[in-house]
Amino acid sequence: MGDVFSFQMPESITDSKPEKVVCGPGLRRNGDEVLVCKSGILRHKQPNLYWIDSQQRRYVPGKGESVIGIITAKSGDIFKVDVGGSEQASLSYLAFEGATKRNRPNVQVGDLVYSQFIIANKDMEPELVCIDSCGRANGMGVFGAGGLLFKVSLGLVRRLLAPQSEIAKDLEKMFPFEIVVGMNGRVWVKSKTIQQTLIVANLLESCENMTAQQRQTLFRRVADGSI
Amino acid sequence: MANDNAKLSKNLLRMKFMQRGLDADTKKQLEEEERRIISDEHWYLDLPELKAKENFIIEERSFGPCEDLKYGRMSFKGFNTEVEKLMIIMNAPNEEELEEEEISRMETDITDEDMARRYESLVGSMKKKFAKKRERSAIEDVNQNATETHKKIAFLKPQD
């Protein structure tokens, strides 16, 4: 913790202007230095992105992230949404597709919403919206008639949403179901029968600590119908 | 009414209707005085110019762009067709940009000359459609370079 790392450039290209460096989660800027503030593995992505790959269960709101929230209160023009962070986020009723002052969205206390952060920093109350910059919903908004909501660790969420996710590929072969994954560690699953829904939920929760081989064995057993 | 200018206030003299009678020179002098007054009243900080330091290090708090995470809603084996459509749209923004570029290139397959020829004939035919009967024949004559008939339309007395 607190290690400083610097970017050593070879002598031949010191003439060129220093390029921008993007420090991702786990790294913090301190003047001209970059400090590490989480324990984990340093990762690099071309051309200039570095971050620390760490594990945690507690979610910290970040701008632009899509999360599943639970509406807890309706006060005036905004809804209070629980996203699992240190404080509740606010969601304006005009931030839904096709919502106007006269045409209010049909949102009740206790509904699940899939929305994005537009403001999320340590100094201000986080704010959510359910539309993008063009005013389209893009799948965001209230969902979840039926289905099951449960919590997983943030690392598993990232593994599920990775571009070449093996867990997602294994799940595809099982049975038809629908899943919504929020970056705050919340996952919602819906399937044709309650039993299938519970199976998928249990599989995901147990994937946390399994190696790829163990996971595939387990999935195969379930697909064969022995569980 | 005071004819003496000294008895009228400065603000009154500065008003538009009082300045219409003045010469150009006096107007310029008054304008300069006003500008001097305004610039004296402006406050400014007596500090050296500070340049903002260029930051080469940008902070990015979210994991999304780091690992190229996909769209969060997924549906498998056709459980929810709308979500499957969304998956295709949201997970391939790069491919979509390429498609748009191709479409815009396709639109210029019809060359400009063809467009001009089309419009030339189109404008003529549309004009003919809405012209009155007499004008229609006049248009046709113009196009075919025929001589105009000087027939005057007057009342013809019925012949016995």
Side-chain angles (χ1 to χ4, degrees):
Chain A
M1 291 293 224
D3 293 336
V4 176
F5 68 89
S6 57
F7 305 95
Q8 300 275 331
M9 305 244 278
E11 295 297 322
S12 54
I13 47 174
T14 42
D15 298 331
S16 64
K17 203 175 142 200
E19 292 182 352
K20 294 208 177 190
V21 162
V22 183
C23 47
L27 298 173
R28 199 159 290 173
R29 183 173 73 87
N30 187 12
D32 274 339
E33 301 171 324
V34 175
L35 293 179
V36 175
C37 54
K38 284 220 174 88
S39 49
I41 305 173
L42 177 67
R43 302 249 186 242
H44 173 55
K45 182 177 147 183
Q46 295 293 337
N48 56 359
L49 175 60
Y50 297 87
W51 76 92
I52 301 283
D53 195 1
S54 58
Q55 262 285 39
Q56 60 182 56
R57 286 189 75 96
R58 184 69 164 162
Y59 176 65
V60 174
K63 184 173 171 180
E65 292 186 348
S66 304
V67 294
I68 297 182
I70 306 175
I71 309 272
T72 52
K74 210 162 139 173
S75 68
D77 290 342
I78 56 167
F79 302 109
K80 283 285 180 207
V81 182
D82 167 39
V83 288
S86 54
E87 59 178 326
Q88 299 198 337
S90 70
L91 170 60
S92 164
Y93 77 94
L94 289 170
F96 290 85
E97 186 172 17
T100 59
K101 285 192 184 154
R102 301 260 177 103
N103 179 20
R104 287 173 178 243
N106 188 13
V107 178
Q108 306 302 324
V109 171
D111 279 351
L112 293 175
V113 279
Y114 186 62
S115 49
Q116 251 181 0
F117 280 107
I118 43 166
I119 296 181
N121 51 39
K122 60 182 170 67
D123 303 314
M124 294 165 67
E125 183 194 28
E127 281 186 34
L128 292 166
V129 285
C130 287
I131 50 173
D132 66 358
S133 50
C134 301
R136 293 179 298 205
N138 280 343
M140 295 193 277
V142 178
F143 69 93
L148 177 68
L149 179 76
F150 55 97
K151 202 163 181 325
V152 293
S153 77
L154 304 189
L156 182 61
V157 164
R158 276 183 278 135
R159 273 189 283 161
L160 271 173
L161 293 178
Q164 307 296 328
S165 165
E166 291 172 6
I167 308 183
K169 281 185 197 152
D170 290 339
L171 281 173
E172 256 180 349
K173 301 173 197 157
M174 303 279 286
F175 29 65
F177 69 98
E178 186 194 351
I179 185 173
V180 178
V181 182
M183 301 271 296
N184 53 347
R186 290 190 184 158
V187 178
W188 177 85
V189 179
K190 180 173 176 188
S191 185
K192 282 205 186 118
T193 65
I194 298 182
Q195 199 182 23
Q196 285 182 348
T197 312
L198 287 172
I199 290 174
V200 175
N202 283 325
L203 280 175
L204 281 173
E205 280 173 338
S206 54
C207 275
E208 180 77 53
N209 297 320
M210 281 198 221
T211 63
Q213 209 180 6
Q214 286 170 331
R215 191 182 62 232
Q216 276 161 5
T217 341
L218 178 63
F219 277 35
R220 225 172 294 134
R221 278 172 59 196
V222 171
D224 292 341
S226 54
I227 296 185
Chain B
M1 260 215 308
N3 288 327
D4 217 359
N5 269 4
K7 293 220 180 120
L8 293 172
S9 69
K10 248 191 306 165
N11 286 331
L12 195 56
L13 288 171
R14 234 181 272 155
M15 288 196 181
K16 207 67 191 250
F17 63 87
M18 296 296 283
Q19 295 192 356
R20 278 183 214 140
L22 293 176
D23 325 328
D25 288 337
T26 22
K27 267 193 211 168
K28 273 186 209 161
Q29 274 180 20
L30 282 171
E31 267 183 45
E32 276 179 33
E33 277 177 30
E34 269 200 51
R35 241 179 273 145
R36 231 180 292 139
I37 295 168
I38 290 170
S39 60
D40 276 343
E41 286 176 0
H42 274 162
W43 291 22
Y44 58 92
L45 288 171
D46 200 11
L47 293 173
E49 265 190 36
L50 295 169
K51 272 193 242 170
K53 274 195 248 170
E54 247 193 276
N55 287 327
F56 295 111
I57 306 176
I58 306 172
E59 274 198 9
E60 160 78 62
R61 291 259 172 229
S62 164
F63 271 108
C66 294
E67 301 181 358
D68 278 337
L69 298 180
K70 290 193 297 190
Y71 185 58
R73 288 190 82 156
M74 298 189 268
S75 156
F76 302 116
K77 295 209 173 186
F79 191 76
N80 189 337
T81 43
E82 289 169 10
V83 173
E84 300 204 343
K85 274 185 234 164
L86 271 171
M87 277 170 76
I88 300 171
I89 295 173
M90 302 292 290
N91 279 333
N94 290 333
E95 292 174 24
E96 265 195 20
E97 281 170 13
L98 283 173
E99 279 175 30
E100 283 174 30
E101 281 175 19
E102 285 173 19
I103 289 168
S104 63
R105 254 182 271 134
M106 269 162 57
E107 275 172 351
T108 56
D109 273 357
I110 305 170
T111 61
D112 295 331
E113 291 159 5
D114 286 340
M115 283 290 280
R117 240 177 280 148
R118 173 119 170 52
Y119 268 111
E120 205 180 358
S121 58
L122 183 69
V123 164
S125 55
M126 288 306 280
K127 189 176 176 192
K128 260 199 284 179
K129 186 175 173 184
F130 290 105
K132 302 240 175 189
K133 206 169 175 182
R134 283 179 194 136
E135 289 162 22
R136 216 182 294 158
S137 49
I139 291 168
E140 276 182 18
D141 290 344
V142 163
N143 282 343
Q144 293 164 17
N145 286 333
T147 51
E148 280 180 31
T149 47
H150 289 284
K151 193 173 181 188
K152 212 177 171 186
I153 297 153
F155 178 65
L156 282 177
K157 218 173 174 183
Q159 293 167 355
D160 295 331

